[in-house]
Amino acid sequence: MGKKGKERAKERRRQRLEEIAELREVPYSPSERWWSGETAAVVTGANRGIGLEIARQLAAHGLRVVLAARDAERGRAAAERLREEEGLCVEPRQLDVTDSASVDAFANWVSSEYGGIDILVNNAGVNFNTGADNSVESAEEVIATNYFGTKRMIKAMIPIMKPSPFGARILNVSSRLGRVNGRRNRVGDEALRERLLQDDCLSEELIDGMVTKFLEQVKLGTWSLNGWPQMYTDYSLSKLAVNAYTRLIAKRILDKPEGEKIYINCLCPGWVKTAMTGWAGNISAEEAADTGVWVVLLPPEKAPNGKFFAERREISF
């Protein structure tokens, strides 16, 4: 893309962000508000950044929100600010998505305290690369948190999602860096790309095998020779796995009967000014959270399943 093309793309995006800002000011009509003060939402990694903002916006729309955080004290402090400064219904709870015992204990608590949940936002994630850095020293932790942690939460929460005529909602915070055919981040293995894009070929074995193979090559020091994403490699691969797993689960739950529907989708929040990016992003956490909140609050007749969103629009996997 030449200089003029980049400038046109930048201008189109600026206009789109202005449109979204205007849309955020339009209140939901009574007919659109399928939720109530008893609707329970869980947001992971919610003590700061995008997770905190998603929790804040959901609570501002009148939902009961569980603010889940690995660091219990930071989670309590974040929830207290939302309650004291904005009067929001937010409850903190410690949760480490990389720990099976922590996830099981959390699921048992949510089931006991709330009778289950209506919305799950899998936001907890880590990234140790900034700028031009592309280290894979923390690849195991990145994959364990971003992919296996998300997968663990989905498996634990689906059984306790409340039956509802409106459908329960799962949103996985992901990234365009995890697109199968990303311009700079495509996987070099063409056969693998084809299998990842074909719903009939998707399986846990395929996705888990991909990340396991990558981690094995990281340990051997051969990963850079094997066609993995070129930019933020471990983070990108973790999000590629999240995207593929989202589509797999969407297919599995597609035929759930009316009253037990669950809709699962992905969100790319964009390059956001948060601690994860070293505050070098180009949009605020408030702007980034908007699309995720919009997706999970769509009325049932418009609720998507197995889709990928950015800036209130569907994008390709």
Side-chain angles (χ1 to χ4, degrees):
M1 184 184 293
K3 183 177 179 181
K4 289 185 177 179
K6 290 180 180 179
E7 290 177 351
R8 286 194 295 269
K10 186 176 181 180
E11 177 58 21
R12 286 196 300 269
R13 187 167 179 279
R14 185 192 65 77
Q15 292 176 357
R16 180 59 184 164
L17 291 177
E18 287 183 357
E19 292 172 6
I20 293 171
E22 293 176 2
L23 290 171
R24 284 209 309 272
E25 298 300 317
V26 179
Y28 285 92
S29 68
S31 63
E32 292 175 309
R33 294 177 65 93
W34 57 267
W35 63 93
S36 72
E38 296 303 308
T39 302
V42 167
V43 184
T44 69
N47 61 286
R48 67 178 189 178
I50 298 168
L52 177 60
E53 185 59 29
I54 289 176
R56 187 192 72 79
Q57 291 185 26
L58 287 174
H61 284 301
L63 287 77
R64 302 169 68 194
V65 178
V66 178
L67 189 156
R70 182 169 56 180
D71 187 310
E73 184 53 43
R74 290 179 179 177
R76 280 193 293 271
E80 284 178 9
R81 287 196 302 273
L82 294 180
R83 288 194 299 246
E84 293 176 3
E85 296 175 10
E86 301 186 47
L88 301 177
C89 184
V90 179
E91 181 171 6
R93 191 71 182 180
Q94 196 277 335
L95 170 66
D96 182 352
V97 300
T98 67
D99 183 342
S100 295
S102 177
V103 171
D104 289 344
F106 181 85
N108 290 334
W109 173 80
V110 166
S111 184
S112 174
E113 292 293 318
Y114 290 82
I117 65 171
D118 302 276
I119 296 172
L120 168 65
V121 179
N122 284 309
N123 169 75
V126 293
N127 174 34
F128 298 97
N129 291 305
T130 57
D133 180 36
N134 191 30
S135 167
V136 295
E137 290 181 5
S138 301
E140 194 166 349
E141 182 179 352
V142 171
I143 298 293
T145 305
N146 298 1
Y147 171 53
F148 286 112
T150 294
K151 178 178 171 180
R152 187 175 291 112
M153 283 297 294
I154 291 171
K155 289 191 171 185
M157 295 293 110
I158 280 181
I160 62 170
M161 300 202 90
K162 296 178 182 177
S164 164
F166 309 111
R169 318 294 173 94
I170 301 174
L171 180 73
N172 297 326
V173 177
S174 188
S175 172
R176 287 184 178 91
L177 291 173
R179 295 169 80 173
V180 176
N181 284 313
R183 185 165 55 89
R184 294 180 60 187
N185 262 27
R186 66 163 41 188
V187 174
D189 186 335
E190 185 176 351
L192 175 58
R193 292 204 310 270
E194 290 179 0
R195 292 198 299 274
L196 288 170
L197 286 172
Q198 294 177 23
D199 287 348
D200 291 343
C201 294
L202 274 181
S203 67
E204 286 190 54
E205 291 75 18
L206 174 65
I207 304 167
D208 288 0
M210 175 182 69
V211 298
T212 299
K213 182 178 180 180
F214 167 69
L215 291 174
E216 288 173 349
Q217 292 177 3
V218 168
K219 290 179 181 178
L220 292 171
T222 61
W223 66 272
S224 62
L225 306 174
N226 286 280
W228 299 111
Q230 303 168 32
M231 184 178 180
Y232 303 159
T233 301
D234 51 6
Y235 179 81
S236 299
L237 192 67
S238 74
K239 295 305 186 180
L240 174 62
V242 166
N243 290 346
Y245 189 70
T246 300
R247 289 170 44 227
L248 176 64
I249 296 301
K251 184 174 68 171
R252 286 182 179 175
I253 62 179
L254 184 61
D255 295 328
K256 277 185 170 289
E258 292 299 325
E260 298 179 18
K261 294 288 188 184
I262 299 174
Y263 306 105
I264 181 169
N265 297 284
C266 284
L267 162 71
C268 176
W271 194 33
V272 190
K273 295 175 185 176
T274 64
M276 184 178 285
T277 64
W279 308 102
N282 55 17
I283 62 172
S284 68
E286 180 181 2
E287 292 172 301
D290 170 77
T291 295
V293 173
W294 171 75
V295 169
V296 298
L297 294 185
L298 282 169
E301 65 273 14
K302 295 181 180 179
N305 188 45
K307 304 299 183 182
F308 196 6
F309 291 92
E311 296 171 4
R312 291 204 182 195
R313 287 177 175 170
E314 184 180 342
I315 60 176
S316 70
F317 282 98

